[in-house]
Amino acid sequence: MNRDRIIKTIKQYLLFLIGLFIASMGVAFSTKAGLGTSPVASVPYSVSLVSDLFSFGGWLNVLSVIQIAVQIALLRRKCKPVEIVIQTVLAFVYGYLTNLSCFLIRDIPVRNYPEQPLYLAVSCFVLAFGIWLQFKGGVAMLPGEAMNRAISQVTGRRYENIKIIFDVVYIALSAVICLVFLGELKGVREGSIIAAVAVGLIIKLYNKGYTILARKFKGDDRS
């Protein structure tokens, strides 16, 4: 029984890590589109445009550390050390995977504005698929989502509402950083708003498609 549980856990983590890599590719495509990244990545990306102290992935790691610190401060004794360690490891893995993904597609040209929405659409579908696989893995959460969950637990407010609030905060902060230091919007633009709405809808689409396929595979399709 223990052996089966170990094998199951390994498979879940492998699925989660695959989802993590695919999600990082989605973020990389959003930077390639040049129309703004997903809300949670917008602040690190904007800062990376202003400061070369760290790479994009490095600033993602910095944000993750802040989000983990917020969780510890809020949950205190309720905070689970093992979960924090796992989050920290996965967060740094995600940061490095984001750098790798940006490197892998660095030579893909974006020749004109009509191509930018195309890359943005690709990024939304790829990012949504990566997040969906992470949910299917069901073994861990990245610090940003875990922080939202911790705030939800402490305040009693719905997780979805907390997520929306922080998505707005990330976008607003990114806009301020870009306008103050660059004089223009780069890290956050219309693509950030589109991604904030579209990714969730696409995840629902993947769930629906998975449910339909699962029923057909089991021979239980009643449609």
Side-chain angles (χ1 to χ4, degrees), residues 32-33 35 108-121:
K32 178 63 68 172
L35 296 176
I108 297 178
V110 181
R111 290 176 289 268
N112 47 53
Y113 183 81
E115 289 187 357
Q116 290 179 278
L118 175 61
Y119 284 111
L120 176 63

Side-chain angles (χ1 to χ4, degrees), residues 16-26 94 97 100-101 104 126 130 134:
F16 184 90
L17 289 173
I18 292 171
L20 209 61
F21 174 67
I22 292 174
S24 74
M25 288 297 298
Y94 184 56
L97 285 176
L100 173 62
S101 297
L104 291 175
V126 173
Q134 291 173 50

Side-chain angles (χ1 to χ4, degrees), residues 6-17:
I6 291 173
I7 293 174
K8 182 180 179 181
T9 300
I10 291 174
K11 287 181 178 179
Q12 287 176 312
Y13 270 101
L14 283 175
L15 185 61
F16 184 90
L17 289 173

